Amino acid sequence: MTSKLSQLSATELTFAYRRRELSPVEVVRAVLDHIERRNPELNAFALLDPDAALASARASESRWLSRKPLGLLDGVPVSVKDLLLTRGWPTRSGSLTVHAGGPFEDDAPAVARLREHGAVLLGKTTTTEFGLSGGSSSPASGVTRNPWHPAHTSGGSSAGAVAAVAAGFGPLAVGTDGGGSIRVPAAYSGVVGLKPSYGRVPAWPPALVGVPPHVGPIARTARDAALLLTVLAQSDDRDPFSLPQPAGDFRDALGRSWSQTRIGVSPALGHAQVDAEVARAFERAVSVFEELGARVEHADPPIAPALGTLRTLFAARAAFTVRHLDAEAREQLDPAVREAARDGERLTALDYLRAEAERTALATAMAEYHRRYDLLLTPTTAQPAPRLDAPPDPGRRASPFAYPFSLTRQPALSVPSGRTADGLPIGLQIVGKAFDDGLVLAAAEAYQAVSGVLRLPE
């Protein structure tokens, strides 16, 4: 029963609660039992609070028995990346330089919306230090492992969030993506991960420098991701750059006809070196959209490699993030973060403005591309999840498809598209024009309906 309950989607859970076929208490107990069994190996949580989760589940059970649920996620177990402020819990951001003593009195907008909709918060998931690298380890929480193959990385920086969802530690998680930090680990770990349009999910405190991380949903199905985005996208006055609140539910965009949809396909963005198994999975995924009746054409977007632009903006963000730390505190930083901050401190204002101009030029080029194509399909990563003991990838050969669409700030999603012969997940990336998050989710849901959803690892 524990295994079965831990594999149910948020949609299935709320349906069962409404029909009184399941109780939030028994579901949360089952999920916590499953976490107790598998998390010591995977290390998905920086903080787990079983007592608070069970108290929240009991309150939810009372509401469902009274037929007065709080909202769309009442009684659904959800985890939160340890970059997002959460009242009553420390937010250490994967860093030894952030002390756990508190007080911690504020919720980030995404966390506030989860509470308002009755979600059961399980705990804080692991992240790389300040979300500034793409690995799956940090000085504060150690190494997070891939639920499919624990010798491999789960990806990052939303390492614990994707591992938690893939392992059955609740059907939903909230992560952040500033250079692929939701989509790359989602591909590595076999789940759905959406980087929404910039401003779709309000953020606070705001990210003022570099590539701002977009707060977004992680789930096992596109329908659940649409459900969670509907909750997260509600307005919050603390973010002056947030988009107007959507008029409806993102699930309303699902189940559309594809006959008039124009899809551009780019197997390598013109330059990436793609693993053969990833390439074959991508070809099969493209054929699904052809079967759905979409108008599919091979068309590389007119964008040049922009890794230098990303590095400049991330170095600036790293320097800004640790600007208040003295020399002694900086010795506790991840060496990669410390070096990135040093690079950022050497930048001139002109260097930074040049990178912002390059970023804007990429966004303009993609806006022009989307005048012809409603969606762009690429692999999410060029290779499956590397082993944890593999050498670093300073050239980001593994994920050249993700970061360009963080620079352009348009919606992009990874959906599972198969597995390698060794059983490692592979991801398909679906990129939409700015603010068209609903179409991206609809494409992912249509693809999953035809291709099927990966089962959870045992």
Side-chain angles (χ1 to χ4, degrees):
M1 179 60 73
T2 296
S3 176
K4 179 180 178 181
L5 292 184
S6 68
Q7 295 198 34
L8 294 177
S9 70
T11 301
E12 291 169 328
L13 288 177
T14 54
F15 181 79
Y17 295 160
R18 186 171 294 108
R19 294 168 61 92
R20 300 189 182 184
E21 295 171 349
L22 286 176
S23 155
V25 174
E26 65 178 313
V27 169
V28 170
R29 281 180 175 154
V31 169
L32 289 171
D33 287 346
H34 189 51
I35 292 171
E36 183 178 10
R37 180 171 66 88
R38 284 220 68 193
N39 191 59
E41 177 187 29
L42 301 180
N43 187 36
F45 285 94
L47 179 151
L48 185 67
D49 194 338
D51 291 339
L54 285 169
S56 180
R58 285 190 286 269
S60 174
E61 180 181 67
S62 295
R63 292 191 294 268
W64 280 109
L65 289 173
S66 301
R67 301 196 184 277
K68 295 179 180 179
L70 267 183
L72 297 177
L73 296 177
D74 207 335
V76 175
V78 184
S79 56
V80 177
K81 185 177 180 179
D82 194 33
L83 292 181
L84 299 172
L85 295 180
T86 307
R87 187 180 69 248
W89 291 342
T91 298
R92 300 195 65 189
S93 302
S95 181
L96 294 173
T97 68
V98 180
H99 300 292
F104 298 97
E105 300 174 341
D106 297 303
D107 281 331
V111 178
R113 302 296 87 77
L114 292 174
R115 292 194 201 274
E116 290 165 5
H117 280 261
V120 174
L121 301 185
L122 297 170
K124 308 294 289 292
T125 53
T126 58
T127 175
T128 59
E129 191 163 35
F130 301 117
L132 286 170
S133 69
S136 63
S137 66
S138 76
S141 54
V143 176
T144 299
R145 298 177 179 274
N146 193 308
W148 294 87
H149 280 281
H152 291 251
T153 179
S154 66
S157 62
S158 300
V162 297
V165 172
F169 302 167
L172 301 174
V174 182
T176 66
D177 188 320
S181 288
I182 287 176
R183 289 160 291 148
V184 170
Y188 285 169
S189 300
V191 299
V192 174
L194 171 66
K195 178 189 73 66
S197 299
Y198 180 61
R200 177 66 70 201
V201 179
W204 184 84
L208 301 174
V209 176
V211 186
H214 301 205
V215 180
I218 298 164
R220 292 192 290 271
T221 70
R223 181 166 291 274
D224 268 11
L227 168 63
L228 182 51
L229 184 62
T230 299
V231 170
L232 301 180
Q234 296 175 46
S235 63
D236 193 298
D237 292 339
R238 291 175 290 176
D239 184 351
F241 303 107
S242 61
L243 298 175
Q245 184 164 320
D249 189 312
F250 282 99
R251 291 172 295 177
D252 295 341
L254 308 182
R256 54 172 281 151
S257 168
W258 294 96
S259 61
Q260 299 302 312
T261 304
R262 305 161 301 170
I263 298 179
V265 171
S266 182
L269 283 185
H271 63 86
Q273 301 174 35
V274 181
D275 177 270
E277 289 184 290
V278 172
R280 287 194 292 272
F282 180 67
E283 290 175 4
R284 292 193 298 269
V286 170
S287 70
V288 169
F289 286 94
E290 292 172 334
E291 294 169 13
L292 288 169
R295 295 155 56 187
V296 177
E297 297 179 20
H298 282 257
D300 292 331
I303 55 174
L307 189 56
T309 304
L310 181 80
R311 284 174 171 161
T312 296
L313 295 173
F314 259 85
R317 181 175 145 203
F320 189 78
T321 299
V322 306
R323 67 194 184 283
H324 62 288
L325 298 180
D326 60 22
E328 182 178 356
R330 289 188 182 214
E331 287 304 311
Q332 300 182 76
L333 293 171
D334 182 321
V337 172
R338 188 164 58 242
E339 184 59 31
R342 288 171 181 162
D343 290 343
E345 288 163 352
R346 289 191 285 264
L347 294 172
T348 67
L350 186 59
D351 293 331
Y352 183 80
L353 292 173
R354 184 183 296 113
E356 279 288 3
E358 292 165 353
R359 185 198 65 73
T360 302
L362 285 174
T364 301
M366 284 308 302
E368 183 66 24
Y369 182 86
H370 284 294
R371 293 181 67 180
R372 181 169 182 180
Y373 300 105
D374 302 300
L375 295 170
L376 166 67
L377 302 182
T378 77
T380 308
T381 63
Q383 63 188 40
R387 288 183 58 89
L388 286 163
D389 57 6
D393 177 30
R396 295 184 70 86
R397 191 187 84 78
S399 55
F401 298 101
Y403 74 83
F405 307 109
S406 289
L407 292 169
T408 61
R409 303 184 181 181
Q410 61 197 106
L413 174 149
S414 183
V415 61
S417 60
R419 284 191 289 162
T420 69
D422 293 333
L424 288 166
I426 299 170
L428 167 70
Q429 181 173 232
I430 304 171
V431 183
K433 65 182 68 175
F435 315 127
D436 205 355
D437 305 77
L439 181 60
V440 171
L441 287 161
E445 199 244 3
Y447 174 76
Q448 285 191 304
V450 174
S451 65
V453 181
L454 289 176
R455 64 173 177 82
L456 293 178
E458 298 297 332

